[in-house]
Amino acid sequence: MKFALTPALVGTLLAADPASVLVQLDARADHYGQLSRQIWEHPELGYVETRSSALHIEELRRAGFRIDTNIGGAPTAFTATWGAGKPVIGIMGEFDALPGLSQDAIPDRKALIEDGAGHGCGHNLLGIASIAATAAAKEYLETHKLPGTIRYFGTPAEEGGSGKVYMAHAGAFAGVDAVLAWHPSGRNDATPETCNAIVRANIRYRGVAAHASAAPDRGRSALDGLMLMGIGIEMLREHIPQDSRIHYVITKGGRAPNIVPEIAEAEIYVRHPRMAELQNVWDRVQKIAQGAATMTETSVDILDVSGSWNLLPNQTLNKIIDHHLRSIGGLKLTPEDVKFAEEIRKSLPEAVRAANPLSLATEVAKMRDTGIFPASTDAGDISWIVPTAHFGTATFVPGVAAHTWQATACAGSAFGRKGMMIAAKTLALTAIDLLENPAPLAAARAEFDRRRAGVTHRSVIPVNAKPPLRYRAK
Ligand SMILES: [Zn+2]
């Protein structure tokens, strides 16, 4: 493998041959592939990823890491550390699944368990690529007797549980110089991206139950309150900043039509790429919720407020990632991979296929100065605490969106495992580069300070809050 000489900020891996790291990762690709598949076969929801977390811990303990568990009050949150002193480089991993996205690793819709959980966001690949990279970086430090610390962050409940925020509140990221993170994607791309900040809450209306036919005048419907809130939100949509997002589901809407509902509940997400604007929209949504309660003579409580910030990009770190991703290149697809991809793509709309050619997986996209992905992640908060870099590799067949059955199928397939190993290699080379040549860390810190200037990062989640360990049990 050829390594081009690098621009000023990019480290040069002088001490030893980085190709040995790649050879070693290739030799272990089957092992890591099996681990990712084991997690895929036993998908676990946020904060109850007991088996998945234990599997990660066992792997890193065996590799010689010091393990800290139960971080921030979440039993499945852990860190694994090796080495001593500066610099301290962190790599984040996730392992939670999504409800209702159970799916076989085939190109047709077929749930393995009806309405069961599935890895529709590819976190089975996310955690294992990060482990593979962390272990490779550790071996490199050890072999070359280099100073520095490498730490894996086992972060639970990314899907709506904000696991990383509770870990941060517990001080897990203190003293870390840079954090590297990746996410399954439909392309190989190291563009430094931001995303939407998010506020989540449960909104509960309380009314008065009555016989809906014999004594309707004595009832006050909690469901009416909730539905009027929804109508208010639909009207609000026209008068908020364009980039905003508001979505909700009704989680309780009454038990029987002949009982005026006493309780009605919705779970709501409000998003915007900037926290200040998001706060404005969220304040207005809360006023609407109150107004609907007034109209219906019900009461409303806004409960379990949580959320995360938008990602603060770090171009300095992403340039280093891009350099290494480019040296590794995209997926090398076999005829079987291509057949699988083409079959999956048949289930996508023509326009989506046209906009996302298969070549997105085999090539590395040109790095843009900045981008935005319109979802949210609890990695956002971390990026305001430590310089953080985030990138994607093609584990999903191009055109496949996250949180779909197609994404679950890809996450369990050979195609997905190839993208996973590209992420593992990119993370490993970047971590080693930063450990061996820490100079860019000062530049990354300066960029971080510059981007953060004038903004006070205050988590949506209070510092002393306990993680909602049963948020998926509803
Ligand atoms: Zn995800």
Side-chain angles (χ1 to χ4, degrees), residues 94 96 98 121-123 126 158-159 183-184 402-403:
E94 298 165 8
D96 59 325
L98 285 156
C121 209
H123 293 183
L126 205 171
E158 190 278 334
E159 300 289 358
H183 200 285
H403 296 203

Side-chain angles (χ1 to χ4, degrees), residues 239-370:
H239 308 288
I240 53 178
Q242 306 233 12
D243 307 350
S244 313
R245 297 276 188 281
I246 307 176
H247 24 256
Y248 52 91
V249 290
I250 296 179
T251 49
K252 283 187 188 139
R255 305 295 292 274
N258 60 354
I259 308 169
V260 173
E262 185 179 8
I263 300 283
E265 213 168 304
E267 186 175 354
I268 188 164
Y269 290 4
V270 183
R271 313 196 206 215
H272 190 278
R274 284 180 302 283
M275 189 46 101
E277 308 253 18
L278 169 57
Q279 192 59 51
N280 284 336
V281 177
W282 172 231
D283 287 346
R284 294 172 72 191
V285 167
Q286 291 180 85
K287 282 183 198 164
I288 286 171
Q290 290 295 347
T294 303
M295 279 193 280
T296 50
E297 296 180 36
T298 57
S299 64
V300 64
D301 286 306
I302 297 179
L303 306 164
D304 313 320
V305 178
S306 71
S308 52
W309 279 57
N310 54 305
L311 277 167
L312 188 69
N314 195 293
Q315 220 174 55
T316 309
L317 293 174
N318 275 75
K319 276 184 186 163
I320 303 175
I321 291 175
D322 182 64
H323 166 75
H324 292 299
L325 176 58
R326 214 158 278 290
S327 73
I328 293 158
L331 278 71
K332 313 244 174 330
L333 299 178
T334 61
E336 293 80 53
D337 297 329
V338 173
K339 185 163 177 289
F340 173 78
E342 306 267 281
E343 288 294 319
I344 284 262
R345 285 164 65 79
K346 282 183 189 160
S347 67
L348 306 175
E350 172 69 48
V352 171
R353 285 203 299 269
N356 296 276
L358 194 52
S359 59
L360 287 180
T362 55
E363 293 164 3
V364 176
K366 188 171 170 348
M367 189 179 112
R368 291 158 289 133
D369 283 347
T370 183

Side-chain angles (χ1 to χ4, degrees), residues 210-224:
H211 195 296
S213 183
D217 52 308
R218 287 167 57 186
R220 296 291 180 269
S221 169
L223 183 60
D224 287 357

